[in-house]
Amino acid sequence: MITNTKSFTARCGVFLALLMAGSATPALAQTASQTDESTAPDTDQADEPDADDEIITVIGTRIPGLPTDGPVPTETITREDIIESGAGTLIEVLEDLPVTTGGGQTFSTATAGALSSDTPVGASAVSLRGLGASATLTLINGRRAQISAFARGQESFIDASSIPLAAIERVEVLPSGASAIYGADAVAGVVNYVLRSDFEGIELSGSYGNSTADTDEGRFNLTGVVGTRLGERNSVMLVVDYFKRNPFFLRDRAISANSFRPSQQGFYPSFNDLFFLVDANDQTEEPQDGGCPADDFGVGNLGEFCEVNTNAFVSAKDRLETIGGLFTHQFEISDSLTWYNDVLYQHVESRGISSPANFSRTPVDPENPFWPAALQQDIVDEGGVGDFSDFFGFPIFAWGKIPEPRAVEISSDSYRITSGFKGDISDDWQFDVAFLFGGNDRVQRGLSGLYLSENFYDLNLGNICTDGTRVERWDVDPERPDADFVGDTCEGVGKTTLWYNPFGGQATQEDGVLDLLETQAERTGKSRLYAVDGFVNGNLFEMPAGMVKVALGGEFRRETLNDTPSGVAVARANNPEPILGFSSTSAEASRNSWSAFGELYIPLADTLDVQIAGRFDDFQGFGSDFNPKIAARWQPLEWLALRGNYSTSFRAPSLAQSGAGVLLSSYRVDCEATPGACDGDATEDGEALLSEDVGNPALGAENARSFGGGIVIQPGNGIELLVDYWNIRHEDLVGIDEDDFIRRALGGEFPVVGPGELPTGTAGLEVTGGFVTDAHFQITNLGFQKTDGIDFVYTHRFADGPAGRFTLTADVTHIFNFERQGSPASPVEQLAGDYLYPDWIASSRLRWRKGDWRASVAGFYTSGYRDDPSDRTLEALGLPTGEDYFVDDHVTFDLSVSYDFARDSYIQLAVRNIFDADPPRVLGSSSNVDLYNHDLIGRYATVRVTKRF
């Protein structure tokens, strides 16, 4: 779409329409002080805890009993919210939050696949404010969680898929810096998963969901909860959760079925000998000769090609199956001392399917017996030679695609054991101390499309015999694929040559060929977390305005990570791509860390409260740091409160970053940005590199500061309006800026050598004829990201009436700025409103309850943003280049209706995207749509039945 960005007035109109329609999020944006009306006994008293209720600790502080609408804005997703949303997995709930939107940093299994650019298969993670999953501290019951054994690239994260949805009581979100309270790495804030506990009875629940499309995206969920008291002092609870989901592919929806720019490397390869045909056109098997289908045949700048619609293979959400559970035990040793134990477990099996791998410049023997006569004649004619035998002794190179998609499957086991004691030291002092052990074991295996490159070259050149022995018919150089004719043959030693058949769409192969090509490339990962922590809290002394309260504590933890790729996938100096179109990654790291923290709550006046906190963290190998936080709340009027906060953060590199090995990657040199990489000519086309990302033992820590302020307006009549500004600056980012690295290497900071001379795992460049032809990029500390914006949260609880009880909630986030600079030598990018970064996100919900009936209507709005299409995509679509393109705004609506057929038992129908709205077209995405910010699956209905005994 060619358009201008939507005006502020137009977007406000959308927000008003959402509010008036009562549409919106599953109250996912309510503050911790907001109580769901389905559980509130009385609307007028919903915020007043009963005198006999347990005093709770809200997120953002370790001091219990503080006001829930304190100086730092928080959000809570209750179990009722989760059920009402109809979500099947935890990440589906979190993706609906405006504070988790932006930049593809919150990811689900919709973006998983076999490629290094894909997210890890079977995993998901949440990011706050678009700053990255590693900048968001994830806790379980207020304590650390183990990282995924497989990183996203080289970014460690906490896997939301490792937590059974049925085990969640609520999710607490603190979308601002919280390092002084919870940990130095809470740069963007905290997500705390609070597990269920203290359940008595039996509860069984089952659900089935599917889209209303012709395809089958069915999912099934069965959960059971059993809890009881054993005597007067023991209580136990067991939660078991089973979930299974069918796969869903890009080809299953019209908007994504056909790639905007089909691949010109096809199953029918294009051929060129780069000698006789060097100034001529590539040749492929033509339709009239029984080769490439006519609809796929084309002629481009380089000659003939047979295109492939890669979207026909790629999965949007792959098969996912999980089984897990939670076991809790509490033993009240005395009235003031309790021993508690939690065991959390989740087994995940999933698969990811990506497009088929390309092969480029693959040498093929002209004497391969499968050469079609028509193709031979075309090559003879195009090359201007007398006979095809003139090519004998010289390779003819092929550019094509493996005929199977790259697919992998994973098996993951996540477990966590917590054992601790909590109780009263005195009437007004409490303590909590616990030991924690957590781990994640992960195995990835290839299912299809993973071809060993050396065997692929050898089979195309006749170097392998049918019994598996090898001869030197050709001397092969896999680094920049090439071959020199030697002349040995299998027949010369009394054997038979085994040939790969690159013709006829590669559909027919001799026995034994695929056995030599295909590999599972098994990759294993293991992460461990050992931690001991404890804290005390209580009253210090009385001031005229109230009691000064304090919390003090400390923590020690040890973390380890081992990510070990298959040996056949590891790059070597003489073979940078051991598996065609498939990269390996490795990491090995361990470290100890300890911290001490303190927090004060000071009521300076009846209307003014201050919270002061500080935390000292020491990370083995990265030093130590102290991070303060100060927050205040002033209520000058009964209906008006003002609040503000300031804090700093210190994030040591994740284990996947500090222990990074070699990650195979790719990059095309940008001659305009780095003319020195292109023999000094900025107008040249840069080389497409099969590059490496290598680790850096000298990495330093990242630093951040955040501040914010807002107002709370409560005029009565059940109305509450929260308006909060936030500002976060995150510096010394760990990452890679390829252009900056090339400039620094050419300036002498890293080795610059000739072709084939740069060892694997060594940072530097290879240069051939003045052009960079290989690069080993090193991760380092560089650049910054800064974002600021404003949140609006509106709640209106209407008085009970004959029509029932109504509650309206709305949550709007507007991002003013999102600046990122890859390195000091790179330009500052303004990302808010740019590709994948919508700058307005809104949601609201109208809830209704009367008697045994409950219902809600919800709406979600995501603003458009600037698209990022390549010129090749625009040319393929017949659109002009050099113009701005924009992604449309997107609005969807959800519906939930339930009926209580018995106490605590109900039947529910939840429909997501009730109007079956397609996501907007995104020219810059290979999927045609934005799988991070929009949902492709369309209308999806789920029926759930829950019975409690």
Side-chain angles (χ1 to χ4, degrees), residues 190-247:
V190 178
V191 175
N192 181 34
Y193 302 115
V194 180
L195 305 179
R196 300 176 73 173
S197 62
D198 295 333
F199 179 88
E200 290 190 45
I202 300 174
E203 180 183 275
L204 298 177
S205 183
S207 72
Y208 175 78
N210 209 332
S211 73
T212 58
D214 294 335
T215 49
D216 182 8
E217 288 86 37
R219 70 185 187 200
F220 174 74
N221 179 226
L222 181 64
T223 65
V225 186
V226 179
T228 187
R229 294 191 66 85
L230 304 175
E232 294 183 357
R233 295 189 175 274
N234 279 286
S235 62
V236 295
M237 183 191 70
L238 176 66
V239 178
V240 178
D241 185 312
Y242 173 77
F243 177 83
K244 184 175 182 180
R245 183 185 71 199
N246 290 339

Side-chain angles (χ1 to χ4, degrees), residues 929-949:
V929 294
D930 177 357
L931 294 175
Y932 292 104
N933 295 304
H934 307 138
D935 192 0
L936 176 63
I937 203 166
R939 185 189 298 116
Y940 201 95
T942 302
V943 175
R944 175 176 293 276
V945 179
T946 298
K947 173 64 177 175
R948 185 175 293 188
F949 302 92

Side-chain angles (χ1 to χ4, degrees), residues 917-930:
D918 283 334
R921 184 175 75 163
V922 182
L923 301 179
S925 168
S926 62
S927 304
N928 302 2
V929 294
D930 177 357

Side-chain angles (χ1 to χ4, degrees), residues 815-867:
I815 303 172
F816 293 140
N817 299 283
F818 198 119
E819 298 177 356
R820 178 176 294 157
Q821 185 180 37
S823 69
S826 301
V828 176
E829 300 175 274
Q830 175 54 265
L831 299 178
D834 209 338
Y835 185 64
L836 300 183
Y837 285 86
D839 55 358
W840 286 92
I841 311 99
S843 61
S844 66
R845 178 175 297 270
L846 178 65
R847 279 191 170 108
W848 166 80
R849 176 160 191 169
K850 184 177 182 181
D852 295 328
W853 287 93
R854 285 174 290 172
S856 70
V857 180
F860 305 86
Y861 169 77
T862 303
S863 69
Y865 51 80
R866 186 182 300 274
D867 209 340

